[in-house]
Amino acid sequence: MMKKQTEVTMTMSNLHPGLILLAVGFLALLSPKALRRYIIGLGPLAVLPAFFQLQLGSDAVIKFSGGSYTLHYLHIDSLSWLFGLVFCMIAVIGGIYAMHNENRMEALCSMGYACGALGAVFAGDWLTLIFFWEFMAATSLFLIWCNNTKASRKAGYRYLLVHMFGGNLLLAGIFLKVRAGDMMISNLAAGPHDAAFWLILTGIAINTAIPPLHAWLVDSYPEGTVTGSVFLSSFTTKVGVYCLIRIFAGTELLIWAGAVMVLYGACYAIMENDMRRLLSYHIISQVGFMVAVIGLGTGMGSNGAAVHAFGNILFKSILFMATGAIIYVTGIRRINELGGLAKKLPWVFLFFVIAALSISGIPGFIGFVTKSMTISAAADAHNSVLELILQLGSIGTFLSITLKMIYFIFLAPDPGVKIEKTVPMNMYVAMAAGSVLCILYGVYPELLYRCLPYPMAAFQPYTIDHAAQFLQMVAMATIPFMMYLPKMMPHTALSLDTDWFYRKPFAGIVTGVSYLCCAVSRALGNTWEVLYEKSMELSHNPMEFLDAKPLRNSPKYNPENYRTSIADPIMITLTVLFCSLCYFMAII
């Protein structure tokens, strides 16, 4: 039997930009502390010349000799180019923001996460997509665990369970497509709504945080590290948006799923007290704008979703950077414990205001340019209900971020907040870079609109009609805020969300599975038991696993942690991957 070989020639024109970021991560992992900060801060800049070498219409492949499958690992068109551009930008900005961070693992995983996001948007075939999709999930998991707290370990484990479930659904749908001979990624909205359609849609919906499959985002992102949360806010949900545009544009179900997201995220954000949980709910709300107009199936809808994702990555990352800087110097996450920071942290205040005005869609900032297109897409489709919902979502955004957060964090009377540290200069540089881009694209929207992925009639955001809409939005949010200001102080009670189901009843199911696995492992012999005990150490504290001593007692489920041993999902995932490998080798 002839041995199978692969054929690929790597040049600058087909060099995957993600590989450069991954190499930066490995260099930062292996470098001494004195050098690491410069590698993580300046190394990602190398991705920009490699990215701009890519040409629209190019398609770099890996061919398997003796087989029938070709991996299209670098498929460049207008849509993937636009997402690739903003992903490269945020990798550079995020790297600068993280220069002061000495954590080797976080440096590797943040760059690996960006690599996975780029790989997913440049994938031309289904198997390349699922490879980078899972790589992205694995690296993002450690950005949560790197925070190395009890809450982050719990949240990370739940994150692992949810994304393992979503990834396996997507994998199952992809296998059905590949088995049917459909190797290349294509739009499925016009085709049969068969098992493959629903499996792929559900898998992507989990990553896009469509309710009720959204709670993992608000549960995990606030528990990530200060620098890691900047990357978390930028990639996973936006890759999901990209896939929805590419695969499901025109699926009517998405219109109303997005409408629910817009209102759901905005309402929960108004009630939230934790800064990063509030911003996480607004990720859901803002992604809802994108999902809704994707469902319209029009060129303006898909363009609006793409450019709003572009803008959202920029201003949302600044908001996470600004709140991260506050947490870094004060150690406080709750809004009702802060106040008077405009005088103590004036530059953080300035950058936060720029990002807040951008996300609220105020003229002169990128959010006005991108939100105008999404709302206009609903109007052009004659969907007045959706248009109204998007406008209501804009009011909720202005109320909860621009008014609530700016007032209670920066302008309210100072309750005696102590500044324990100084904000590192690299944090200021990163926030300044993102703020300049938010203003640049807001003042010169043609820089963004010339990159639109789909043809459409000329669009002008700066019209009297659009400006009047947003002025009305400002008035409708500001008047009630000022009238009920004493009652707008965030409360300390927890907001009950759908994550209750896997924190409580699902925890009982997992407990039963854990005991079953314990019994099976003991039945199979001492070797399996040792492996299981080691996995319990990893579950208890993943970041100190190598230094931990072996457990002596039989593994037991700890109900306080609402999780079982990490061995259960690892064994399931390894089984799925083994079957996938066997299937893949069979078809090539």
Side-chain angles (χ1 to χ4, degrees), residues 238-259:
K238 308 315 179 295
V239 171
V241 168
Y242 166 84
C243 290
L244 289 179
I245 299 173
R246 175 74 72 190
I247 304 170
F248 294 104
T251 302
E252 188 174 354
L253 174 64
L254 295 179
I255 298 175
W256 308 114

Side-chain angles (χ1 to χ4, degrees), residues 33 36 39 56 59 65 117 173 213 215 234 254 304 328 346 387 391 404 429 463 468 498 554 564:
K33 181 168 60 175
R36 190 181 313 127
I39 292 176
L56 291 177
D59 191 7
S65 302
L213 308 173
S234 302
L254 295 179
Y328 180 83
E387 183 183 6
Q391 291 173 342
K404 172 182 170 180
V429 172
T463 64
T498 57
S554 299
T564 182

Side-chain angles (χ1 to χ4, degrees), residues 99-180:
M99 282 183 67
H100 66 282
N101 194 335
E102 299 179 359
N103 191 311
R104 296 173 181 268
M105 180 61 71
E106 186 176 340
L108 171 62
C109 290
S110 60
M111 292 296 107
Y113 186 25
C115 168
L118 284 171
V121 300
F122 288 146
D125 64 281
W126 292 113
L127 291 183
T128 302
L129 172 64
I130 190 62
F131 172 81
F132 283 108
W133 187 275
E134 297 292 13
F135 185 72
M136 188 172 59
T139 49
S140 60
L141 169 65
F142 280 90
L143 294 181
I144 301 168
W145 273 345
C146 280
N147 204 20
N148 204 20
T149 64
K150 183 178 179 180
S152 68
R153 290 192 290 272
K154 292 181 183 180
Y157 185 77
R158 293 189 291 268
Y159 182 92
L160 171 64
L161 290 176
V162 172
H163 283 275
M164 183 189 71
F165 175 66
N168 286 337
L169 289 177
L170 178 60
L171 180 64
I174 286 175
F175 274 176
L176 292 177
K177 300 299 293 183
V178 172
R179 182 169 183 174

